[in-house]
Amino acid sequence: MGQVFSDASKKEDNGELLSSFTECFKNIKSVSTIISPETIHSIEQHLKNGNIQGATSTIRDALENIDNVPINIAVTGESGAGKSSFINALREVGDDERDAAEVGVVETTMKITSYKHPKFETLIIWDLPGVGTLKFPPKEYLKKVEFQKYDFFIIASATRFTRHEIELAKAITMMNKNYYFVRTKVDFDIDNEKKCKPRTFDREKILEQIRKSYLDTFHENQIGKPQIFLISNHNLSDYDFPSLVDILIKDLPAQKRHNFMLSLPNITEAAIQMKYNASKQFIWLEALKEGVLATIPALKSLSDSDVQKLEASLNHYRALFGVDDKSLELIAKDCQVPVEKLKEKLKSHSLLTKKENETLGEKLFKCLEKFLSVSGGFVATGLYFGKMFYFHYLFLNTVIEDAKVLLREACQE
């Protein structure tokens, strides 16, 4: 969609565009932006110089990079460390599903195995054999697992970290890579303590004791700036998993954050909001890339092609945020309620239903006008985009509220 600027107003419009762009990214924490500070600066300079083509070209390259850049996560640990369940939890795949990482009481990882995320093919989680096994001795471990291709390493244990794993962490640091010690199955420890010592049971005190024992070991072995994340593979919202996610996002390069954040399960409202912020940045950049109009676009009818694209977009957001039909069936099964009862509480599923003698386009425009009257949408930024991007913004905001509703329903159960 082209831009409509008069020569007299072009400089003024470019100034508004620059200030709006700067304001948008100023309000986003640097650890949460999906484009690098260098890219942000480059776009700002292009806009400052009135070079709209240069700005859109930079944005186009950044968005293509976000879509295509690979994310490789390595998970290693001894037999029984809970690696497979951890990988399945990250991928939101049940342990008994067809493409799940194999879970067992005996060593199931005898070779390097890759697992693609079901929603993001560029995100791959690698299940690595434990260091010190017969085929993967310590001295050859990093070379054999091709350490250079991983963005970071998760070193998992359900008991204590071995000498080999501690030495592995040191070696990873020397290779300028990041590692994270993860203590799995902490919920088992809590349950056992509660059963054995019901009168004196103190959950936080036990967690602190577990954490301190590991930190003491790390200090003794001269691990610099040690951290330990206590997690439950079957209850990610509890314990330290949210803190682990925050650290991973902060440490990842900016262009890899978008897909990584959107790949994460909706374990808390904060997690849903984080995914929303990433999606909103992407929509904003897509809209800017396609072109900005000097006036609010007339909200007219939609072509059949437009409606088909919007249907696909809405279904895309529903799948990303876990409010699609497949996800609802799983949630309804876990909560032991009919699917239709869940749908009654959601808004996104009715966006594509219309009344008699009403076209779907007319229905969507009514929803959009109502949404803009309340939120202002992109109008609040001082920029006015093509009508299709207003719909994307409407869909995203509707779906995120549905995701929060479902999370509350699951928590009540």
Side-chain angles (χ1 to χ4, degrees):
M1 187 177 294
Q3 298 174 24
V4 186
F5 291 128
S6 69
D7 291 339
S9 64
K10 187 173 181 179
K11 186 173 182 181
E12 180 181 348
D13 291 328
N14 288 350
E16 290 180 357
L17 187 56
L18 172 61
S19 62
S20 298
F21 176 85
T22 303
E23 185 68 22
C24 174
F25 281 90
K26 184 181 74 175
N27 294 328
I28 300 171
K29 293 181 180 179
S30 60
V31 296
S32 301
T33 56
I34 64 172
I35 54 177
S36 68
E38 293 77 17
T39 301
I40 293 173
H41 177 72
S42 176
I43 295 168
E44 287 177 334
Q45 287 300 114
H46 283 309
L47 295 176
K48 186 176 181 179
N49 296 330
N51 184 4
I52 301 298
Q53 184 176 355
T56 55
S57 177
T58 301
I59 291 171
R60 184 179 298 108
D61 290 344
L63 292 176
E64 288 180 1
N65 193 18
I66 288 170
D67 279 335
N68 299 317
V69 67
I71 305 172
N72 291 287
I73 302 171
V75 182
T76 185
E78 288 194 324
S79 174
K83 289 184 301 176
S84 297
S85 291
F86 180 76
I87 290 170
N88 292 336
L90 282 179
R91 297 170 64 236
E92 291 190 88
V93 173
D95 288 342
D96 57 351
E97 291 188 36
R98 183 173 56 85
D99 59 345
E102 186 178 355
V103 177
V105 294
V106 298
E107 177 62 71
T108 55
T109 307
M110 301 304 293
K111 62 180 181 178
I112 300 171
T113 308
S114 63
Y115 297 93
K116 285 186 177 181
H117 193 281
K119 295 178 182 177
F120 296 92
E121 289 193 352
T122 57
L123 196 163
I124 303 176
I125 306 175
W126 298 80
D127 190 357
L128 306 184
V131 60
T133 55
L134 189 61
K135 291 184 178 180
F136 292 85
K139 289 184 179 180
E140 301 176 22
Y141 189 78
L142 288 177
K143 182 179 179 180
K144 283 202 167 188
V145 300
E146 299 179 276
F147 78 94
Q148 70 276 3
K149 72 182 176 186
Y150 306 115
D151 289 285
F152 56 83
F153 289 77
I154 299 291
I155 305 176
S157 176
T159 51
R160 63 180 181 84
F161 292 98
T162 67
R163 178 175 58 84
H164 290 323
E165 288 166 339
I166 289 174
E167 292 303 318
L168 173 63
K170 293 179 180 179
I172 292 171
T173 301
M174 291 177 63
M175 301 294 183
N176 294 318
K177 296 278 186 177
N178 291 326
Y179 68 87
Y180 307 90
F181 284 119
V182 170
R183 168 59 154 81
T184 62
K185 304 183 183 181
V186 72
D187 48 326
F188 292 0
D189 297 290
I190 294 298
D191 289 343
N192 288 336
E193 285 287 330
K194 192 172 183 179
K195 291 176 182 177
C196 295
K197 304 175 183 177
R199 293 183 179 180
T200 59
F201 174 76
D202 185 329
R203 181 179 185 271
E204 294 307 315
K205 184 177 179 180
I206 295 166
L207 291 174
E208 187 57 35
Q209 288 174 347
I210 295 173
R211 186 175 285 107
K212 185 177 183 302
S213 69
Y214 286 105
L215 293 178
D216 288 344
T217 299
F218 297 154
H219 282 300
E220 290 170 5
N221 287 274
Q222 299 179 328
I223 295 287
K225 297 182 180 179
Q227 283 183 296
I228 180 70
F229 297 93
L230 313 180
I231 71 165
S232 162
N233 290 335
H234 301 291
N235 187 7
L236 293 180
S237 62
D238 211 349
Y239 309 107
D240 293 339
F241 184 79
S243 298
L244 173 62
V245 165
D246 289 342
I247 294 291
L248 296 179
I249 291 170
K250 179 179 72 69
D251 290 348
L252 274 173
Q255 71 271 21
K256 298 192 178 190
R257 291 175 187 154
H258 177 264
N259 285 356
F260 180 72
M261 285 191 279
L262 291 183
S263 76
L264 297 169
N266 297 340
I267 55 174
T268 62
E269 288 202 16
I272 295 172
Q273 191 65 39
M274 174 182 64
K275 294 168 70 170
Y276 168 79
N277 291 336
S279 297
K280 189 165 72 169
Q281 289 180 68
F282 197 90
I283 292 174
W284 203 95
L285 290 167
E286 278 279 7
L288 190 58
K289 181 192 72 175
E290 293 300 323
V292 183
L293 302 180
T295 57
I296 300 176
L299 300 181
K300 298 178 181 179
S301 61
L302 292 169
S303 67
D304 289 341
S305 175
D306 286 339
V307 171
Q308 289 177 357
K309 290 177 181 177
L310 289 174
E311 286 179 322
S313 296
L314 177 57
N315 289 331
H316 170 71
Y317 290 124
R318 286 172 56 198
L320 276 183
F321 284 84
V323 299
D324 55 309
D325 290 340
K326 181 180 178 181
S327 298
L328 286 183
E329 289 174 4
L330 294 174
I331 295 170
K333 183 179 179 181
D334 289 340
C335 296
Q336 296 183 332
V337 296
V339 173
E340 294 305 317
K341 184 177 179 180
L342 286 180
K343 287 186 177 181
E344 290 172 1
K345 301 181 179 183
L346 308 181
K347 294 181 179 180
S348 62
H349 284 257
S350 62
L351 278 176
L352 298 180
T353 59
K354 58 185 179 65
K355 297 178 182 178
E356 192 175 349
N357 300 322
E358 178 185 46
T359 67
L360 185 54
E362 290 171 339
K363 163 68 182 292
L364 287 173
F365 272 119
K366 287 179 182 178
C367 293
L368 180 60
E369 288 171 346
K370 182 178 179 181
F371 170 69
L372 290 177
S373 69
V374 175
S375 70
F378 283 116
V379 177
T381 69
L383 302 175
Y384 308 117
F385 296 92
K387 61 187 177 185
M388 296 297 280
F389 290 101
Y390 284 97
F391 283 112
H392 279 261
Y393 201 54
L394 164 66
F395 294 165
L396 178 62
N397 279 267
T398 305
V399 165
I400 187 181
E401 291 306 317
D402 283 354
K404 291 179 179 178
V405 168
L406 288 178
L407 178 65
R408 294 182 198 119
E409 286 292 313
C411 290
Q412 288 177 3
E413 296 299 321

